[in-house]
């Protein structure tokens, strides 16, 4: 930051000094007025030198900062004038500073354009933290979350002590929450919470997000404690209190684990009532309260609550559906019909409303109409009980239609054909069925007027003509026919109801209580059916909610009900805002240089593959629509045009300055939680596998030269007293806008959380509405990560010279060079050179492989005797970089290994109560991965975690085998199917994969205890040295302590279908896996150079590559030219996974496996381990192997003769020695003394308890934990965030500097050996 501001000061002075030259240039152009060339005074230049992107959100330019705003406007004019006259010879820093000024003025297109130019001109742009921060803020504004995440991560990587680190953590938490990466989101919110500096959200708001994340993760008791703890906070903002009570109440209503039903409902109603006291205008809270009343039978109270919800947020499909349920339960079918019609018009894919409507038609003896409603329900992505619906449809089709049954159907889209009601903006609030007259909510007997949606004679005639020519109709005509038939059906039903009302007495309304047929206020007939807005392309589905009382009439088998299913999950899924358009060409009308050098600035990415297209390479964002061509239903605002009011659940006007208190829950837009549905399916908005080719024109022609006006951009900084929302734009600008309690329906406009007049809404779309390239936010060149020889991942890749610092100086020279570095010293503990950019995903190998080479044969070696196993070339073959995986067959027989020691029977006899981690998974074909409904292939590998013992799992394993034998015997006893039956059955299985059987996989069983597993571990000593758990040539044997599952043995107990999802081994170490048997396993492996492609696929599917659970789609991989090794591992086979190989495994039979990691003593292994160590740091993921600690132990214990390996280890020692000295200098300057704390024998390496980076030598420990001898360790950056002066911290020193200097000086290159052995 210091260097950045210094360079900006130079640029500002240069601009001031250039005034005379500008004056001369202007004098030569008579047509240019003098005022077009403003000049900055020296005082103004000095003021601007202190301005950069870190002031964004903190400089109040609209109030007391008016003078600063005027100065910024003047500076922008000056810079633009100078750039225009410089004829292309401009200092890149001018563009960077111009980007900062435009960002502070909230002129986002200009800011992005200037940042692009700076990027294109400045080769080491990544050193400028303020530039990356500003770029991230612009991306965040445009909801380009994948790129914003990358930019923010790079800021934290190059400068962990960045002044706005808390703001970065906050926004990363929000974006990861939207992208459903809840673990990462939780980590960043916690990092923001411990930071004592200022950020956009208050501490209470961050605590609310953390509690809500617990709820989304189904950690309900933890969430309950967090919510209740938050409510005890003094001076809690009103909106935070209302949202917390709302979430707490709804969670008690929906989660069975929180107590018995009576107490839960009572507590839920109490919380919701308190929430409404705090915020009476919350339509969401009124809706939840109505649901609670409905569940305990208080019908009238429920109806009143629903009415209040409609008053506060009219366009809520959930509320109308629930109103329909109440009417139907009270035997008022016509009113129920109208409510359901309102629901499906507001949300065409509202599965619950379609199912309820189908049930209503069944009760009226109209099976054909019911069938069509059920079919519409099955088409909804939010429908979770498709199988039951399909069975119901089949049952109704088999039944003969009743005499009074209608052949017409209620359509998927019920709306009048007249244009006067086609736009939500043209629909008055009084047109709602709930508000058409004051009699809507009273039992008026006055017959309503004939609705204007009745079919006219002309339309009836048109309907007959369309029916007569049904076979030859075009799709548009078929749609018109469906609409006309729908209106006719509704008209007939309405007329029938009117005749019944006119011929009989009106049912009186009865109070709440056990009455025969209590009645609710009758629906007044709307003047026109509420049209479904054409702009809503996806439903808002907030589902599953708890059951309502009452049963449905109608045919019984098999019942589908009204989708009021128990077992609902938390109010945690909401769709997200439609993103602002991210301009491809970031030019605005005010860019004077827009005609200069455009070929170098058309995007932030340059080099091969540079494009702005989405993953399919054929679309980009437009300024008015989403990447997939449709708008998305989102919280707070629908993607309507500026003249249209929002018509989704959270129907706040897009121009409102009020805040919406909603919690970002992270379901991708397009499938939100639906009312009373059993779950939602997250849709993926990227098509994995398609990648734009280098140089392809991947941008939308509509955007070719379109300039985006700044007025259409949302403002990122919310200023008190100002209304900043642009009509129709996204509200993703400020995280102050992100406190929203996600709920099935929207959260209404309300007062600001912490600033008057600020907008508080949810940010972004669910990770994928914008066309983002999943790679670096700014650059795609080959990575340059290492010191000499450390960076070459491929022969053609250039290496860096360590010209700035030699790796051969003595330790005294190193410490001398490190002195007087300032208070902060070296800002991070990175092993790599200061002049190396942050690590980035590697591009796929070039040229791409031919299609016939995408299924290469797996390297296999057959052993006949012990001599073969110990033959040195075997080791060389396995560790050869060209062999990603090797199968050594016959190993157990050749070495006479007693695999029976690892059999289930022996394990039970040895340690029956030993702990087993269990993953419950869906049993599927090995080469496929379907969602739980069996309708869509996906990458996400679903499963739940639990724990048991070896004895109990052995019992499950045996019973599973016996059950399979029984099924096989039953099949043999049955009559063989005919060929036609087989064909039919195969067709059905291909078209529908669900339901899947659940299987339990026993994983991560620790067998490292030599006392418990002595015989088993002794047997493994028969293996050749390169494959043993412990050996001198194994890097992991030099860590000095156990890393479970890596330098210790792990056991896996499997049944058919058990899956080990896709992954790379920790820190890219090699792995050994032996199949104990008796069954086989099927393996899939991808070479290490393609891991970047695999990571991009995971990113496109909203899955964390490093921590998520994923199972690749082979079709995607083949389409992307990724080779896949596929083979069977039989009992006794050893699989050697080479460094960095991506792999996933599925059990074919009942078997056990054992595995561990190995680190060959090679430069290639060390290099990839260091690369992953740095990548983990960038991604805020803990590295299981402490590479700094390991490097120092290697320097103590190993003589290295490989020059490349020696240089890399020596460089690591240099970096950490330099860092230790810098930290000690800073501590001395701060007057902080260190406490000697010698490292104990077998003491594990230390990690920061906050950010999980490795902490070497100097441990920052909280005073309280030190007094308790528990030592909660922090890194320097996290310690200073909690306390700038390190108050409350004790600094422990584990190594004397003299000792480290001695190790460094004595570590030298050993002479090469003439021969090598395994």
């Amino acid at each position: 930051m210091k260097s950045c501001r210094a360079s900006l000061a130079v640029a500002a002075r240069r601009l001031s000094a250039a005034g005379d030259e500008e004056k001369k240039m202007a004098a030569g152009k008579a047509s240019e007025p003098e005022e077009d060339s403003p000049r900055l005074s020296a005082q103004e230049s000095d003021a601007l030198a202190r301005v950069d992107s870190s002031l964004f959100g903190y400089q109040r330019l609209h109030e007391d900062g008016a003078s600063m705003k005027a100065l910024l406007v003047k500076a922008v004019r000056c810079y633009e004038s100078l750039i225009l006259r410089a004829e292309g010879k401009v200092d890149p820093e001018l563009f960077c500073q111009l980007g900062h000024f435009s960002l502070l003025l909230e002129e986002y297109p200009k800011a992005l354009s200037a940042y692009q130019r700076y990027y294109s001109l400045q080769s080491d742009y990544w050193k400028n933290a303020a530039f990356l921060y500003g770029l991230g803020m612009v991306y965040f504004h445009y909801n380009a979350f994948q790129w914003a995440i990358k930019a923010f991560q790079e800021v934290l990587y190059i400068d962990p002590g960045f002044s706005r680190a808390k703001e970065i953590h906050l926004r990363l938490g929000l974006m990861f929450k939207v992208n459903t990466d809840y673990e990462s989101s939780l980590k960043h919110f916690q990092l923001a919470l411990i930071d004592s500096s200022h950020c956009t959200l208050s501490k209470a708001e961050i605590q609310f997000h953390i509690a809500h994340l617990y709820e989304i993760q189904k950690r309900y008791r933890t969430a309950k404690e967090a919510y209740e703890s938050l409510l005890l906070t003094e001076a809690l903002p009103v909106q935070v209190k209302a949202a917390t009570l709302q979430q707490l109440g709804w969670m008690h209503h929906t989660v069975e684990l929180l107590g018995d039903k009576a107490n839960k409902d009572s507590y839920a109603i109490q919380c919701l009532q308190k929430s409404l006291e705090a915020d009476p205008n919350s339509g969401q809270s009124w809706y939840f309260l109505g649901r609670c009343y409905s569940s305990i039978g208080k019908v009238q109270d429920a109806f009143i609550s629903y009415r209040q919800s409609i008053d506060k947020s009219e366009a809520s499909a959930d509320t109308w559906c629930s109103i329909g349920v109440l009417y139907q339960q009270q035997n008022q079918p016509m009113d129920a019909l109208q409510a359901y019609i309102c629901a499906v018009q507001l949300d065409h894919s509202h599965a619950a409303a379609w199912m309820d409507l189908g049930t209503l038609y069944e009760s009226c003896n109209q099976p054909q109409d019911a069938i069509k409603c059920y079919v519409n329900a099955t088409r909804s992505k939010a429908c979770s009980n498709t199988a039951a619906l399909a069975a119901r449809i089949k049952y109704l089709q088999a039944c003969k239609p009743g005499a009074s049954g209608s052949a017409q159907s209620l359509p998927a889209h019920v709306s009048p054909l007249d244009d006067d009601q086609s736009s939500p903006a043209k629909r008055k609030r009084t047109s709602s069925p709930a508000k058409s007259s004051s009699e809507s909510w009273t039992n008026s007997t006055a017959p309503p007027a004939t609705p204007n949606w009745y079919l006219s004679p002309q339309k009836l005639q048109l309907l007959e003509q369309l029916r007569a020519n049904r076979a030859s109709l075009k799709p548009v005509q078929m749609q018109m026919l469906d609409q006309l038939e729908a209106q006719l059906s509704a008209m007939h039903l309405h007329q029938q109801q009117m005749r019944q009302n006119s011929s009989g007495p009106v049912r009186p309304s009865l109070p709440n209580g056990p009455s025969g047929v209590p009645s609710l206020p009758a629906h007044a007939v709307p003047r026109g059916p509420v049209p479904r807005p054409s702009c809503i392309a996806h439903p808002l589905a907030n589902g599953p909610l708890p059951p309502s009382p009452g049963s449905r009439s109608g045919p019984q088998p098999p019942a589908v009900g009204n989708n009021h299913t128990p077992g609902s999950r938390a109010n945690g899924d909401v769709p997200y805002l439609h993103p602002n358009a991210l301009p491809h060409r970031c030019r605005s009308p005010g860019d004077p240089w827009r005609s200069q050098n455009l070929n170098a600035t058309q995007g932030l990415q340059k080099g091969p593959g540079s494009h702005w297209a989405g993953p399919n390479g054929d679309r980009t964002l437009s300024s008015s629509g989403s990447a997939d061509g449709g708008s998305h239903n989102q919280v707070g605002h629908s993607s309507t045009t500026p003249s249209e009011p929002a018509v989704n659940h959270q129907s706040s006007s897009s121009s409102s300055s009020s805040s919406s208190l909603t919690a970002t829950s992270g379901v991708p837009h397009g499938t939100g939680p639906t009312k009373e549905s059993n779950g939602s399916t997250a849709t993926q908005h990227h098509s994995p596998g398609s990648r734009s080719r280098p140089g392809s024109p991947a941008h939308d022609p509509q955007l070719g030269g379109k300039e985006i006006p700044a007025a259409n951009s949302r403002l990122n900084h919310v200023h008190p007293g100002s209304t900043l929302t642009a009509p129709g734009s996204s509200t993703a600008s400020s995280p102050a806008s992100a406190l929203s309690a996600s709920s099935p329906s929207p959260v209404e406009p309300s007062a600001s959380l912490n600033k008057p007049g600020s907008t508080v809404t949810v940010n972004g779309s669910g990770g994928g509405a914008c066309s983002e390239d999943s790679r670096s936010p700014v650059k795609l060149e080959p990575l340059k990560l290492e010191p000499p020889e450390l960076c070459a991942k491929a022969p053609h890749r250039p290496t860096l010279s360590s010209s700035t610092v030699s790796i051969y100086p003595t330790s005294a020279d190193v410490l001398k060079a490190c002195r007087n570095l300032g208070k902060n010293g070296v800002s991070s503990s990175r092993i790599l050179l200061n002049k190396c950019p942050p690590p980035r995903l590697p591009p796929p190998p070039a040229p791409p492989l031919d299609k016939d080479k995408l299924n290469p044969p797996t390297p296999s070696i057959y052993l006949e005797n012990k001599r073969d196993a110990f033959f040195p070339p075997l080791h060389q073959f396995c560790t050869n970089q060209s062999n990603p995986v090797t199968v050594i067959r016959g190993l157990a027989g050749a070495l006479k290994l007693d695999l029976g020691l690892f059999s289930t029977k022996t394990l039970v006899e040895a340690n029956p109560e030993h702990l087993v981690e269990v993953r419950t998974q869906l049993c599927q074909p090995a080469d496929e991965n379907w969602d739980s409904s069996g309708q869509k292939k996906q990458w996400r590998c679903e499963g739940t975690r639990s724990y048991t013992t070896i004895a109990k799992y052995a019992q499950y394993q045996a019973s599973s085998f016996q059950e399979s034998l029984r099924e096989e015997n039953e099949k043999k006893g049955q009559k063989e199917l005919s060929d036609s039956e087989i064909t039919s059955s195969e067709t059905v299985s291909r078209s529908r994969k669900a339901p899947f059987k659940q299987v339990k996989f026993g994983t991560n069983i620790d067998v490292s205890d030599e006392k418990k597993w002595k015989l088993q571990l002794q047997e493994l000593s028969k293996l050749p040295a390169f494959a043993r758990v412990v050996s001198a040539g194994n890097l992991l044997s030099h860590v000095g302590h156990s890393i479970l599952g890596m330098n210790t043995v792990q056991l896996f107990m499997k049944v058919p279908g058990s899956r080990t999802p896709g992954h790379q081994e920790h820190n890219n170490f090699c792995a050994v896996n032996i199949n104990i048997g008796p069954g086989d396993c099927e393996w899939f492996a991808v070479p290490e150079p393609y891991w970047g492609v695999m990571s991009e696929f995971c990113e496109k599917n909203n899955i964390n590559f490093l921590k998520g659970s994923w199972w690749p789609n082979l079709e995607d991989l083949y389409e992307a030219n990724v080779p896949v090794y596929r083979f069977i591992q039989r009992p006794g086979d050893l699989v050697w996974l080479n460094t960095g190989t991506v792999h996933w495994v599925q059990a074919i039979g009942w078997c056990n496996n054992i595995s561990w990691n190995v680190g060959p003593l090679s430069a290639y292994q060390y290099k990839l381990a260091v690369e992953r160590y740095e990548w983990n740091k960038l991604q805020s993921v803990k590295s299981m192997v402490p590479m700094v600690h390991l490097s120092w132990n290697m320097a103590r214990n190993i003589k290295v003769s490989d020059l490349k390996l020696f240089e890399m280890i020596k460089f690591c020692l240099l970096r950490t020695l330099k860092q230790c000295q810098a930290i000690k200098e800073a501590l001395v300057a701060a007057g902080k003394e260190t406490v000697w704390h010698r490292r104990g024998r077998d003491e594990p390496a230390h990690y920061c308890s906050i950010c999980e980076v490795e902490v070497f030598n100097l441990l920052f420990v909280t005073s309280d934990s030190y007094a308790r001898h528990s030592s909660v360790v922090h890194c320097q950056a996290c310690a200073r965030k909690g306390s700038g002066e390190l108050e409350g911290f004790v600094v422990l020193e584990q190594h004397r500097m003299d000792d480290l200097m001695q190790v460094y000086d004595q570590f030298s290159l050993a002479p090469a050996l003439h021969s090598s052995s395994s």
Side-chain angles (χ1 to χ4, degrees), residues 315-359:
S316 171
D318 285 347
T319 307
W320 281 115
C321 185
S322 297
I323 290 173
V325 170
L326 279 183
Y327 276 130
Q328 191 170 351
Q329 289 174 347
Q330 304 308 310
N331 197 23
Q332 295 175 244
M334 194 60 232
D335 295 323
L337 174 66
Q338 292 181 43
Y340 291 145
I341 288 176
C342 286
V344 297
Q345 287 174 345
L346 290 170
D347 183 355
H348 179 61
S349 299
H350 203 289
W354 283 118
M355 286 188 280
D356 291 341
L357 188 55
T359 308

Side-chain angles (χ1 to χ4, degrees), residues 362-392:
E362 277 197 71
S363 67
C364 296
N365 196 23
Q366 294 178 244
Q368 298 305 313
D369 293 324
I371 288 173
K372 294 188 177 181
C373 291
Y374 292 150
V375 168
N376 283 328
T378 60
R379 291 172 181 166
S380 171
K381 295 178 181 178
C383 183
S384 58
N385 52 352
T386 310
L389 282 175
R392 190 66 183 173

Side-chain angles (χ1 to χ4, degrees), residues 1238-1259:
R1238 180 181 295 276
R1239 183 178 180 81
R1241 180 179 176 83
D1242 298 331
E1243 180 180 346
H1246 293 281
Y1247 293 85
C1248 176
S1249 59
I1250 303 298
C1251 65
E1252 295 185 310
V1253 300
E1254 182 185 358
V1255 183
F1256 178 75
N1257 187 22
L1258 297 172
L1259 314 179

Side-chain angles (χ1 to χ4, degrees), residues 864-908:
E864 295 182 357
N865 50 51
K866 184 176 180 180
R867 180 181 176 184
D868 292 345
F870 285 84
F871 192 45
L874 176 61
H875 177 202
Q876 298 166 7
F877 183 87
C878 290
T879 56
N880 190 319
Q881 298 179 26
S882 62
N883 297 326
V885 60
T886 302
V887 185
I888 303 177
R889 302 198 183 274
L891 177 75
L895 297 178
K896 297 182 180 179
L897 288 175
D898 184 5
L899 299 183
L901 291 172
F902 297 93
S903 68
T904 300
K905 180 181 178 182
T906 307
L907 296 173
V908 171

